[in-house]
Amino acid sequence: MPNCPTAVAFDVLQTLFSVEPLRGRLTALGLPPHALEVWLGRTLRAGFALAAAGAFRSFSEVASGTLAGLLL
């Protein structure tokens, strides 16, 4: 194949598994119900920004950092 891809990427959040079960955990921490969408959007934004800058942090580092920001 002349145009054979060298890599394949999958979007796993909300595609392969739902983050909806986290909504209850976030509200239990005192956040409003819509905090799930805010957390997910900010987590993805931070991950994309790190990738664009050539930096790497694990998903758990990015996600927990975003959560910490929401809890302030």
Side-chain angles (χ1 to χ4, degrees), residues 26 29 31-32 35 38-39 42-43 45-46 60-72:
L26 295 177
L29 292 172
L31 296 172
V38 175
W39 169 80
R42 289 181 184 181
T43 298
R45 180 186 66 192
S60 75
E61 287 178 289
V62 176
S64 62
T66 302
L67 178 59
L70 286 176
L71 291 170
L72 292 178

Side-chain angles (χ1 to χ4, degrees), residues 13-39:
L13 292 175
Q14 295 297 94
T15 302
L16 296 180
F17 69 90
S18 174
V19 295
E20 186 61 35
L22 297 175
R23 189 177 307 278
R25 307 277 306 264
L26 295 177
T27 57
L29 292 172
L31 296 172
H34 71 275
L36 176 64
E37 288 77 18
V38 175
W39 169 80

Side-chain angles (χ1 to χ4, degrees), residues 1-7:
M1 296 174 78
N3 293 323
C4 183
T6 57

